[in-house]
PDB file of all heavy atoms in Angstrom:
ATOM      1  N   VAL A 283     -45.541  11.573 -58.970  1.00  0.00           N
ATOM      2  CA  VAL A 283     -46.583  10.767 -59.627  1.00  0.00           C
ATOM      3  C   VAL A 283     -46.066   9.336 -59.963  1.00  0.00           C
ATOM      4  O   VAL A 283     -46.683   8.369 -59.704  1.00  0.00           O
ATOM      5  CB  VAL A 283     -47.158  11.420 -60.918  1.00  0.00           C
ATOM      6  CG1 VAL A 283     -47.984  10.552 -61.782  1.00  0.00           C
ATOM      7  CG2 VAL A 283     -47.938  12.628 -60.503  1.00  0.00           C
ATOM      8  N   LEU A 284     -44.823   9.330 -60.481  1.00  0.00           N
ATOM      9  CA  LEU A 284     -44.254   8.011 -60.853  1.00  0.00           C
ATOM     10  C   LEU A 284     -44.078   7.098 -59.599  1.00  0.00           C
ATOM     11  O   LEU A 284     -44.380   5.964 -59.593  1.00  0.00           O
ATOM     12  CB  LEU A 284     -42.988   8.174 -61.614  1.00  0.00           C
ATOM     13  CG  LEU A 284     -43.016   8.876 -62.946  1.00  0.00           C
ATOM     14  CD1 LEU A 284     -41.650   8.988 -63.562  1.00  0.00           C
ATOM     15  CD2 LEU A 284     -43.992   8.181 -63.866  1.00  0.00           C
ATOM     16  N   THR A 285     -43.588   7.702 -58.553  1.00  0.00           N
ATOM     17  CA  THR A 285     -43.419   6.977 -57.250  1.00  0.00           C
ATOM     18  C   THR A 285     -44.754   6.536 -56.683  1.00  0.00           C
ATOM     19  O   THR A 285     -44.936   5.410 -56.269  1.00  0.00           O
ATOM     20  CB  THR A 285     -42.650   7.858 -56.202  1.00  0.00           C
ATOM     21  OG1 THR A 285     -41.424   8.267 -56.772  1.00  0.00           O
ATOM     22  CG2 THR A 285     -42.362   7.119 -54.952  1.00  0.00           C
ATOM     23  N   HIS A 286     -45.716   7.458 -56.740  1.00  0.00           N
ATOM     24  CA  HIS A 286     -47.023   7.228 -56.260  1.00  0.00           C
ATOM     25  C   HIS A 286     -47.702   6.033 -57.006  1.00  0.00           C
ATOM     26  O   HIS A 286     -48.302   5.140 -56.450  1.00  0.00           O
ATOM     27  CB  HIS A 286     -47.894   8.420 -56.314  1.00  0.00           C
ATOM     28  CG  HIS A 286     -49.166   8.420 -55.621  1.00  0.00           C
ATOM     29  ND1 HIS A 286     -50.368   8.045 -56.292  1.00  0.00           N
ATOM     30  CD2 HIS A 286     -49.512   8.621 -54.359  1.00  0.00           C
ATOM     31  CE1 HIS A 286     -51.325   8.084 -55.375  1.00  0.00           C
ATOM     32  NE2 HIS A 286     -50.897   8.451 -54.222  1.00  0.00           N
ATOM     33  N   ALA A 287     -47.512   6.131 -58.392  1.00  0.00           N
ATOM     34  CA  ALA A 287     -48.120   5.021 -59.208  1.00  0.00           C
ATOM     35  C   ALA A 287     -47.523   3.692 -58.898  1.00  0.00           C
ATOM     36  O   ALA A 287     -48.297   2.695 -58.773  1.00  0.00           O
ATOM     37  CB  ALA A 287     -47.848   5.426 -60.689  1.00  0.00           C
ATOM     38  N   VAL A 288     -46.218   3.607 -58.618  1.00  0.00           N
ATOM     39  CA  VAL A 288     -45.582   2.364 -58.324  1.00  0.00           C
ATOM     40  C   VAL A 288     -46.209   1.834 -56.970  1.00  0.00           C
ATOM     41  O   VAL A 288     -46.630   0.634 -56.897  1.00  0.00           O
ATOM     42  CB  VAL A 288     -44.080   2.428 -58.144  1.00  0.00           C
ATOM     43  CG1 VAL A 288     -43.503   1.188 -57.577  1.00  0.00           C
ATOM     44  CG2 VAL A 288     -43.532   2.686 -59.564  1.00  0.00           C
ATOM     45  N   VAL A 289     -46.344   2.685 -56.012  1.00  0.00           N
ATOM     46  CA  VAL A 289     -46.755   2.275 -54.654  1.00  0.00           C
ATOM     47  C   VAL A 289     -48.241   1.903 -54.726  1.00  0.00           C
ATOM     48  O   VAL A 289     -48.633   0.813 -54.145  1.00  0.00           O
ATOM     49  CB  VAL A 289     -46.503   3.333 -53.594  1.00  0.00           C
ATOM     50  CG1 VAL A 289     -47.211   3.064 -52.290  1.00  0.00           C
ATOM     51  CG2 VAL A 289     -44.998   3.552 -53.418  1.00  0.00           C
ATOM     52  N   ILE A 290     -49.078   2.622 -55.300  1.00  0.00           N
ATOM     53  CA  ILE A 290     -50.505   2.316 -55.494  1.00  0.00           C
ATOM     54  C   ILE A 290     -50.753   1.026 -56.122  1.00  0.00           C
ATOM     55  O   ILE A 290     -51.526   0.160 -55.679  1.00  0.00           O
ATOM     56  CB  ILE A 290     -51.232   3.476 -56.178  1.00  0.00           C
ATOM     57  CG1 ILE A 290     -51.300   4.701 -55.256  1.00  0.00           C
ATOM     58  CG2 ILE A 290     -52.657   3.060 -56.474  1.00  0.00           C
ATOM     59  CD1 ILE A 290     -51.954   4.571 -53.920  1.00  0.00           C
ATOM     60  N   GLN A 291     -50.103   0.767 -57.178  1.00  0.00           N
ATOM     61  CA  GLN A 291     -50.269  -0.435 -57.962  1.00  0.00           C
ATOM     62  C   GLN A 291     -49.745  -1.638 -57.146  1.00  0.00           C
ATOM     63  O   GLN A 291     -50.333  -2.692 -57.143  1.00  0.00           O
ATOM     64  CB  GLN A 291     -49.519  -0.428 -59.318  1.00  0.00           C
ATOM     65  CG  GLN A 291     -50.021   0.671 -60.278  1.00  0.00           C
ATOM     66  CD  GLN A 291     -51.510   0.452 -60.661  1.00  0.00           C
ATOM     67  OE1 GLN A 291     -52.088  -0.690 -60.717  1.00  0.00           O
ATOM     68  NE2 GLN A 291     -52.158   1.538 -61.023  1.00  0.00           N
ATOM     69  N   LEU A 292     -48.579  -1.468 -56.470  1.00  0.00           N
ATOM     70  CA  LEU A 292     -48.104  -2.507 -55.653  1.00  0.00           C
ATOM     71  C   LEU A 292     -49.008  -2.888 -54.540  1.00  0.00           C
ATOM     72  O   LEU A 292     -49.322  -4.123 -54.335  1.00  0.00           O
ATOM     73  CB  LEU A 292     -46.726  -2.058 -55.032  1.00  0.00           C
ATOM     74  CG  LEU A 292     -45.919  -3.069 -54.298  1.00  0.00           C
ATOM     75  CD1 LEU A 292     -45.447  -4.229 -55.163  1.00  0.00           C
ATOM     76  CD2 LEU A 292     -44.691  -2.379 -53.650  1.00  0.00           C
ATOM     77  N   ILE A 293     -49.560  -1.903 -53.834  1.00  0.00           N
ATOM     78  CA  ILE A 293     -50.514  -2.224 -52.729  1.00  0.00           C
ATOM     79  C   ILE A 293     -51.806  -2.883 -53.354  1.00  0.00           C
ATOM     80  O   ILE A 293     -52.170  -3.935 -52.794  1.00  0.00           O
ATOM     81  CB  ILE A 293     -50.915  -0.915 -51.994  1.00  0.00           C
ATOM     82  CG1 ILE A 293     -49.781  -0.436 -51.207  1.00  0.00           C
ATOM     83  CG2 ILE A 293     -52.156  -1.145 -51.128  1.00  0.00           C
ATOM     84  CD1 ILE A 293     -49.968   0.973 -50.694  1.00  0.00           C
ATOM     85  N   THR A 294     -52.361  -2.293 -54.401  1.00  0.00           N
ATOM     86  CA  THR A 294     -53.574  -2.856 -54.976  1.00  0.00           C
ATOM     87  C   THR A 294     -53.403  -4.288 -55.411  1.00  0.00           C
ATOM     88  O   THR A 294     -54.188  -5.130 -55.136  1.00  0.00           O
ATOM     89  CB  THR A 294     -54.026  -1.950 -56.162  1.00  0.00           C
ATOM     90  OG1 THR A 294     -54.262  -0.673 -55.621  1.00  0.00           O
ATOM     91  CG2 THR A 294     -55.323  -2.500 -56.748  1.00  0.00           C
ATOM     92  N   PHE A 295     -52.353  -4.558 -56.204  1.00  0.00           N
ATOM     93  CA  PHE A 295     -52.196  -5.872 -56.803  1.00  0.00           C
ATOM     94  C   PHE A 295     -51.591  -6.866 -55.800  1.00  0.00           C
ATOM     95  O   PHE A 295     -51.497  -8.033 -56.193  1.00  0.00           O
ATOM     96  CB  PHE A 295     -51.513  -5.745 -58.153  1.00  0.00           C
ATOM     97  CG  PHE A 295     -52.430  -5.196 -59.121  1.00  0.00           C
ATOM     98  CD1 PHE A 295     -52.355  -3.843 -59.418  1.00  0.00           C
ATOM     99  CD2 PHE A 295     -53.294  -5.946 -59.798  1.00  0.00           C
ATOM    100  CE1 PHE A 295     -53.228  -3.185 -60.341  1.00  0.00           C
ATOM    101  CE2 PHE A 295     -54.236  -5.379 -60.747  1.00  0.00           C
ATOM    102  CZ  PHE A 295     -54.133  -4.047 -61.025  1.00  0.00           C
ATOM    103  N   LEU A 353     -57.688   3.250 -49.529  1.00  0.00           N
ATOM    104  CA  LEU A 353     -56.769   2.071 -49.532  1.00  0.00           C
ATOM    105  C   LEU A 353     -56.316   1.677 -48.049  1.00  0.00           C
ATOM    106  O   LEU A 353     -56.279   0.516 -47.766  1.00  0.00           O
ATOM    107  CB  LEU A 353     -55.486   2.392 -50.312  1.00  0.00           C
ATOM    108  CG  LEU A 353     -55.624   2.418 -51.857  1.00  0.00           C
ATOM    109  CD1 LEU A 353     -54.394   2.897 -52.449  1.00  0.00           C
ATOM    110  CD2 LEU A 353     -56.006   1.069 -52.414  1.00  0.00           C
ATOM    111  N   GLU A 388     -53.460  10.706 -60.335  1.00  0.00           N
ATOM    112  CA  GLU A 388     -52.171  10.610 -60.927  1.00  0.00           C
ATOM    113  C   GLU A 388     -52.229  11.084 -62.425  1.00  0.00           C
ATOM    114  O   GLU A 388     -51.390  11.867 -62.861  1.00  0.00           O
ATOM    115  CB  GLU A 388     -51.658   9.191 -60.879  1.00  0.00           C
ATOM    116  CG  GLU A 388     -51.297   8.713 -59.498  1.00  0.00           C
ATOM    117  CD  GLU A 388     -51.157   7.211 -59.390  1.00  0.00           C
ATOM    118  OE1 GLU A 388     -51.379   6.513 -60.420  1.00  0.00           O
ATOM    119  OE2 GLU A 388     -50.754   6.740 -58.354  1.00  0.00           O
ATOM    120  N   ALA A 411     -44.389   3.170 -64.877  1.00  0.00           N
ATOM    121  CA  ALA A 411     -44.340   3.177 -63.465  1.00  0.00           C
ATOM    122  C   ALA A 411     -45.434   2.252 -62.944  1.00  0.00           C
ATOM    123  O   ALA A 411     -45.245   1.481 -61.919  1.00  0.00           O
ATOM    124  CB  ALA A 411     -44.431   4.526 -62.840  1.00  0.00           C
ATOM    125  N   SER A 412     -46.603   2.375 -63.554  1.00  0.00           N
ATOM    126  CA  SER A 412     -47.723   1.596 -63.076  1.00  0.00           C
ATOM    127  C   SER A 412     -47.443   0.150 -63.267  1.00  0.00           C
ATOM    128  O   SER A 412     -47.780  -0.731 -62.483  1.00  0.00           O
ATOM    129  CB  SER A 412     -49.036   2.027 -63.873  1.00  0.00           C
ATOM    130  OG  SER A 412     -49.331   3.262 -63.541  1.00  0.00           O
ATOM    131  N   ILE A 414     -44.556  -1.289 -63.358  1.00  0.00           N
ATOM    132  CA  ILE A 414     -43.546  -1.805 -62.310  1.00  0.00           C
ATOM    133  C   ILE A 414     -44.301  -2.199 -61.039  1.00  0.00           C
ATOM    134  O   ILE A 414     -44.024  -3.187 -60.411  1.00  0.00           O
ATOM    135  CB  ILE A 414     -42.527  -0.682 -62.064  1.00  0.00           C
ATOM    136  CG1 ILE A 414     -41.588  -0.620 -63.237  1.00  0.00           C
ATOM    137  CG2 ILE A 414     -41.669  -1.045 -60.830  1.00  0.00           C
ATOM    138  CD1 ILE A 414     -40.631   0.587 -63.142  1.00  0.00           C
ATOM    139  N   GLY A 415     -45.282  -1.326 -60.606  1.00  0.00           N
ATOM    140  CA  GLY A 415     -45.994  -1.624 -59.432  1.00  0.00           C
ATOM    141  C   GLY A 415     -46.844  -2.906 -59.522  1.00  0.00           C
ATOM    142  O   GLY A 415     -47.022  -3.642 -58.529  1.00  0.00           O
TER     143      GLY A 415
END
Side-chain angles (χ1 to χ4, degrees):
V283 168
L284 297 179
T285 304
H286 191 268
V288 169
V289 171
I290 291 299
Q291 298 299 333
L292 187 65
I293 290 169
T294 301
F295 288 95
L353 288 173
E388 293 164 354
S412 295
I414 289 171

